[in-house]
Amino acid sequence: MKNKIDLKSCTIEELEVFLENIGEKKFRATQIFGWIHKGIENIDEMTNLSKLLREKLKEKANIGLLKIENVLISKMDGTRKYLFVLEDGNIIESVLMKYKHGNSICVSSQVGCKMGCKFCASTTDGVIRNLHAGEILDQVLVIQKDIRERISNIVLMGSGEPFDNYEEVLKFLDIVNHPEGLNVGLRNITISTCGLVPQILDFANKKPQVTLAISLHAPNDALRSQMMPINRKYPLDQLFEACKAYTNKTNKRITFEYALIQDVNDTQEHAKELAGKIKKILCHVNLIPLNEVDESTYKTTKTDRVKNFQKTLKLQGIEATIRRELGSDIEAACGQLRRRYMKEKRNESNTEE
């Protein structure tokens, strides 16, 4: 497997080069690409290719496939939380959310995360490795096949920092957007970053149609640096300048994600301070009642305080929404299910010893 290429991680252009290198016509690339995005699981399912070509492909290539380890389905709203096993045995998770406007999926970009945000379950054990473009894509393909419905919206907001896996994420966007594949519009894709400034600036030039979300969670450097170590490298002044440059370049509104934590970042003074910092940026704020994790002492803000925070922002001229809680009965926040699974496996291992 190590010397074989993963067909799911290939653009059509890469497939054309690959086919020419094995003595085949490059027009076959479009056929292979199309089959991959229909969700086939093995090369023999490509029935419009000759048997000789299929044998060549099996010699030189493979189709990577995620295995569904577990699916939790919310009784409250139908949200589905998927736990996947990668081919190397690592674990990732994805969330399917059903809306009136269509199906939306939140995908992971890394196994774990190294950003160290204090309130997030994904980062507790650090990062193990980046996902390949095909592994990000396969989360969409496998879930789409499982529910037998089209996924129309994609959010890269699961485990991992997408901009820490920048090249593979860019490649995934090229693949998933291609008209010969899933043809998901770039305007229907959102990428969330905790604030990697160089990538934000570069992304504005490369994928200006994609919506950008910034995990902010604090209105000043002192508090944000305590909660999010990345702020020590890229403090708020740098981050906000990058955001202004992004909106000037793309003319697209940025979403600032703000998880409200009881008695930490949820006062009226915090709201006023936040409004003062972002009022000159084309943006809106998405307020998120915190998903509590066992490893953190942080507690979620009460509903009335969330609403007061929103009201204060609006009075300051900042558009703010409160994220609807989905899948709260199935641990739908990123990293929670994977974390529990790994704990259970470790406990089983210790028991056997």
Side-chain angles (χ1 to χ4, degrees):
M1 285 288 188
K2 288 183 179 178
N3 297 321
K4 292 185 176 183
I5 70 162
D6 175 19
L7 295 177
K8 275 183 183 162
S9 287
C10 292
T11 63
I12 283 187
E13 293 74 20
E14 287 173 333
L15 287 173
E16 288 174 346
V17 172
F18 167 67
L19 286 165
E20 287 186 318
N21 286 341
I22 62 172
E24 294 291 336
K25 300 293 186 183
K26 68 179 186 179
F27 78 87
R28 296 290 186 191
T30 302
Q31 294 174 311
I32 294 169
F33 192 82
W35 278 115
I36 292 297
H37 291 81
K38 287 176 182 174
I40 65 166
E41 297 183 7
N42 66 75
I43 289 167
D44 282 325
E45 292 181 66
M46 301 182 188
T47 52
N48 62 345
L49 303 184
S50 70
K51 185 176 180 181
L52 178 61
L53 176 51
R54 279 180 275 157
E55 291 303 317
K56 274 189 182 182
L57 288 176
K58 284 189 281 186
E59 243 179 72
K60 303 287 185 181
N62 71 292
I63 299 174
L65 188 65
L66 301 182
K67 175 191 169 188
I68 297 176
E69 178 69 14
N70 195 10
V71 185
L72 301 181
I73 304 174
S74 171
K75 295 177 181 177
M76 298 168 61
D77 50 49
T79 297
R80 289 174 173 246
K81 183 70 173 278
Y82 287 82
L83 194 69
F84 290 116
V85 180
L86 302 173
E87 290 190 313
D88 63 2
N90 277 306
I91 303 294
I92 60 169
E93 54 189 52
S94 312
V95 181
L96 173 77
M97 297 155 286
K98 289 181 170 287
Y99 296 100
K100 290 180 181 178
H101 61 264
N103 295 316
S104 182
I105 181 177
C106 180
V107 300
S108 296
S109 56
Q110 295 178 306
V111 181
C113 182
K114 71 179 182 186
M115 294 296 116
C117 299
K118 304 300 183 188
F119 47 82
C120 182
S122 297
T123 195
T124 307
D125 294 318
V127 68
I128 296 174
R129 70 169 176 86
N130 288 333
L131 296 183
H132 305 303
E135 292 171 322
I136 305 173
L137 173 70
D138 212 19
Q139 295 168 66
V140 185
L141 292 173
V142 173
I143 291 177
Q144 194 165 255
K145 190 173 184 178
D146 185 53
I147 65 172
R148 298 181 182 180
E149 295 176 18
R150 175 174 168 77
I151 290 169
S152 54
N153 295 274
I154 299 171
V155 181
L156 283 92
M157 205 180 285
S159 296
E161 162 57 57
F163 283 173
D164 191 40
N165 186 18
Y166 192 54
E167 295 305 323
E168 290 298 312
V169 163
L170 288 178
K171 192 176 181 183
F172 160 73
L173 294 175
D174 287 338
I175 294 171
V176 80
N177 174 242
H178 200 285
E180 297 292 341
L182 292 181
N183 196 24
V184 177
L186 293 179
R187 294 180 186 277
N188 293 338
I189 300 175
T190 298
I191 286 190
S192 175
T193 175
C194 64
L196 276 65
V197 167
Q199 286 86 345
I200 291 171
L201 295 171
D202 188 69
F203 195 67
N205 294 315
K206 291 186 174 169
K207 299 293 176 187
Q209 292 181 310
V210 175
T211 299
L212 182 66
I214 305 290
S215 294
L216 192 61
H217 311 308
N220 59 64
D221 282 323
L223 181 54
R224 193 167 191 263
S225 293
Q226 288 176 21
M227 297 164 61
M228 303 175 69
I230 193 66
N231 195 73
R232 298 165 201 162
K233 186 171 184 179
Y234 302 115
L236 287 177
D237 282 350
Q238 289 185 38
L239 177 58
F240 289 147
E241 282 303 312
C243 290
K244 288 176 188 175
Y246 178 89
T247 57
N248 289 339
K249 180 77 177 179
T250 65
N251 201 33
K252 283 183 69 69
R253 185 177 69 168
I254 282 177
T255 297
F256 286 117
E257 304 281 349
Y258 197 100
L260 285 158
I261 304 169
Q262 183 176 300
D263 299 325
V264 175
N265 65 351
D266 64 343
T267 68
Q268 300 300 293
E269 289 71 25
H270 287 132
K272 290 175 183 176
E273 186 178 11
L274 174 62
K277 295 282 180 68
I278 64 174
K279 63 183 177 181
K280 293 184 179 179
I281 301 173
L282 179 62
C283 69
H284 87 287
V285 176
N286 190 18
L287 298 172
I288 308 166
L290 180 75
N291 283 291
E292 297 176 8
V293 297
D294 293 339
E295 293 77 17
S296 173
T297 58
Y298 289 146
K299 301 297 179 185
T300 189
T301 296
K302 304 300 181 187
T303 302
D304 58 343
R305 205 159 179 175
V306 174
K307 291 180 178 178
N308 286 336
F309 198 98
Q310 179 192 33
K311 183 178 179 181
T312 301
L313 286 177
K314 287 189 171 182
L315 288 172
Q316 299 293 318
I318 303 296
E319 184 178 341
T321 54
I322 299 172
R323 179 184 290 177
R324 183 163 66 98
E325 290 189 73
L326 293 173
S328 58
D329 58 328
I330 57 168
E331 298 184 306
C334 65
Q336 287 184 317
L337 184 57
R338 174 177 176 267
R339 179 77 177 145
R340 191 180 72 185
Y341 177 88
M342 292 171 69
K343 269 186 178 179
E344 289 173 355
K345 287 296 181 183
R346 279 197 288 265
N347 290 337
E348 285 175 12
S349 178
N350 291 337
T351 302
E352 289 171 2
E353 289 174 6

